[in-house]
Amino acid sequence: MKKSVKWFLVQRFLILLFCIYWGVEAINLLYRVIITPVVLTFLESQQIQITGSSNALTWLLQMLFYFLAGFLPSGVREWAQGEIEQAMGASMNIQVTSPLYGGAWGVMLRIMMIGGIMGLLFIRILPYLVGAFCYSRIVTKQFNELLAQEKAQKLARDERRNLMLSDIAHDIKTPITTICGYSKALSEGVVEEKDRQSYLDAIYAKAMRMDELVTLLFEYVKLGSEGFAMRKEPGDLAELIREMTALLYADFEDRGMELVLELPEESVPFEMDRLQLGRAVSNLLTNALRYGKDGGRVLVRLQAYELTVADEGEPVEPDFAAYIFEPFARGDKARSSKGGSGLGLGIAKKIVEMHGGELLLNQSFGEGYTKAFQIRFAGYSLQ
């Protein structure tokens, strides 16, 4: 059960205890001011004398058992009533001297008094019954909501998993189809000599695309597999980001993109798995390279253990933004046509979380950028 649900149930339980307490106090006041004086007046009018002292609940129970024993045969009745008086407290004594307790009228009156006593007993325990009923309704409602939420989440996971499998099959099948078609054409000799090299280049490109896809899929599965652990060592976070940016500098130049680097010159100490965190940073840079604006700017900023990679490309659709870090998640056809596998951001998010951070999409970053991916490492600060 989630902590928020547990805390909710504890809160409701404490509130109900508070209500039960004041409900009991209100009933005690009702007994002292109204019920007890009225009952004593009625008993006195019926020549029923009660001596001794006891709490209200004991008194009502003794009265109930005493009048129930009144239905027993003569002789047994007196013995039972005497035993009840001794068992419930020797300090309390009940004597019935009214002549109205004979015959049918006595039986009817005794039944009415038993019903009245049971009603008074019910009033005494009413706050507890109401509290138990309300709490059971609250717990039942919460569990039903949890079950419905889990069912909806399971359906959503199954839907995304099926979509992921479909995307995997599609992304692998497409290059395989090209490789099969081109290789068959080459083997059957139907390709002219001048076109052979272009066919071989296409086969090689598709094979490399499949290799890239399988490698990314392997990395994603490996990160979530049991037994996988990061090999963290002290390092310089700013230097790592600088190195990853330098590796892709030529690719940014090819698209005419301006890299705006805002990295501190001083060392930014951070315990990390250099290989894995470098892959996460590289994936964010590759995403900006692939979906950024030709000739536009790409911001790479590290400030107070917060890395920002922002670009001026098309914004992410709101519906897609909620699932952008899911495996094989891709937006519209324009994004899909740019060669993305939909695994890069998912891998980056897993790596960042395994380093104790979080990866977020910020589409209100400002400064002229349409979207920004930000890595935040909580608990770290520059001294």
Side-chain angles (χ1 to χ4, degrees):
M1 188 185 296
K2 296 181 180 179
K3 290 184 179 180
S4 59
V5 176
K6 290 182 179 179
W7 177 236
F8 173 82
L9 293 178
V10 169
Q11 284 181 319
R12 293 301 180 270
F13 181 74
L14 294 176
I15 292 173
L16 284 174
L17 281 182
F18 179 79
C19 294
I20 289 172
Y21 172 80
W22 285 109
V24 171
E25 289 298 314
I27 289 176
N28 286 337
L29 179 63
L30 181 67
Y31 264 79
R32 289 194 300 269
V33 176
I34 299 176
I35 295 178
T36 301
V38 170
V39 171
L40 290 176
T41 301
F42 175 78
L43 294 176
E44 184 178 354
S45 68
Q46 300 303 313
Q47 301 181 29
I48 299 175
Q49 297 179 357
I50 301 176
T51 59
S53 61
S54 181
N55 61 62
L57 185 59
T58 303
W59 181 77
L60 287 172
L61 286 173
Q62 185 174 5
M63 289 288 292
L64 176 62
F65 295 148
Y66 189 90
F67 283 108
L68 284 173
F71 288 102
L72 297 174
S74 180
V76 179
R77 177 176 61 246
E78 288 75 11
W79 173 82
Q81 290 177 340
E83 290 296 321
I84 290 170
E85 291 179 1
Q86 291 182 5
M88 299 299 293
S91 61
M92 180 173 285
N93 182 40
I94 301 176
Q95 293 182 355
V96 181
T97 59
S98 173
L100 296 175
Y101 277 81
W105 173 247
V107 173
M108 184 180 299
L109 186 59
R110 188 176 286 110
I111 292 174
M112 292 174 59
M113 294 188 68
I114 291 172
I117 292 171
M118 292 183 68
L120 294 176
L121 282 171
F122 179 78
I123 293 175
R124 290 289 301 180
I125 64 174
L126 184 61
Y128 303 100
L129 294 176
V130 173
F133 175 77
C134 292
Y135 193 68
S136 67
R137 289 292 299 272
I138 291 173
V139 172
T140 301
K141 182 180 178 182
Q142 281 298 120
F143 273 98
N144 288 338
E145 289 180 357
L146 278 177
L147 289 174
Q149 184 178 356
E150 289 180 359
K151 184 177 180 180
Q153 289 176 349
K154 184 178 183 300
L155 289 174
R157 285 196 301 269
D158 290 344
E159 183 178 350
R160 291 197 296 271
R161 182 192 62 188
N162 293 335
L163 182 60
M164 181 188 74
L165 294 175
S166 174
D167 286 339
I168 292 174
H170 176 270
D171 284 359
I172 293 179
K173 181 176 175 57
T174 300
I176 287 178
T177 301
T178 302
I179 291 172
C180 290
Y182 282 18
S183 60
K184 183 178 180 181
L186 289 170
S187 66
E188 293 179 351
V190 297
V191 181
E192 296 182 10
E193 188 63 31
K194 61 183 180 66
D195 295 326
R196 286 178 62 85
Q197 188 59 45
S198 63
Y199 273 58
L200 291 172
D201 291 342
I203 290 174
Y204 176 76
K206 295 300 181 182
M208 292 303 296
R209 170 62 180 158
M210 287 178 59
D211 180 71
E212 177 191 5
L213 179 62
V214 172
T215 300
L216 284 171
L217 184 59
F218 173 75
E219 289 294 334
Y220 185 84
V221 173
K222 184 179 71 173
L223 288 171
S225 63
E226 185 177 354
F228 178 81
M230 293 285 174
R231 298 177 181 177
K232 297 181 181 179
E233 296 178 351
D236 183 355
L237 184 59
E239 182 62 25
L240 174 68
I241 297 169
R242 193 175 288 110
E243 289 179 9
M244 293 300 104
T245 306
L247 290 175
L248 293 171
Y249 187 81
D251 296 317
F252 283 106
E253 277 197 330
D254 289 342
R255 291 198 58 192
M257 290 181 169
E258 177 190 355
L259 270 174
V260 181
L261 297 180
E262 296 183 10
L263 304 176
E265 295 182 1
E266 65 274 9
S267 174
V268 180
F270 187 69
E271 189 172 343
M272 58 186 167
D273 185 319
R274 187 176 182 83
L275 175 64
Q276 297 297 338
L277 191 57
R279 179 176 285 112
V281 174
S282 178
N283 287 353
L284 294 184
L285 292 170
T286 301
N287 186 79
L289 175 65
R290 183 170 287 146
Y291 300 114
K293 178 183 177 182
D294 288 336
R297 297 177 302 160
V298 173
L299 171 68
V300 181
R301 173 188 292 167
L302 179 62
Q303 186 176 28
Y305 285 94
E306 178 177 286
L307 170 63
T308 299
V309 178
D311 63 68
E312 297 178 329
E314 291 295 325
V316 179
E317 302 92 336
D319 292 340
F320 172 59
Y323 303 104
I324 195 168
F325 298 110
E326 295 290 332
F328 284 92
R330 283 172 292 187
D332 56 23
K333 295 181 179 179
R335 289 181 63 86
S336 301
S337 64
K338 295 187 179 181
S341 65
L343 280 171
L345 292 177
I347 290 173
K349 184 174 179 64
K350 276 194 173 185
I351 293 173
V352 169
E353 289 176 347
M354 295 177 79
H355 280 82
E358 59 177 346
L359 175 58
L360 306 170
L361 169 63
N362 183 359
Q363 299 207 85
S364 57
F365 179 74
E367 300 183 26
Y369 297 97
T370 53
K371 61 182 179 296
F373 289 93
Q374 296 179 298
I375 296 177
R376 296 173 183 172
F377 293 107
Y380 286 89
S381 60
L382 292 171
Q383 300 298 327

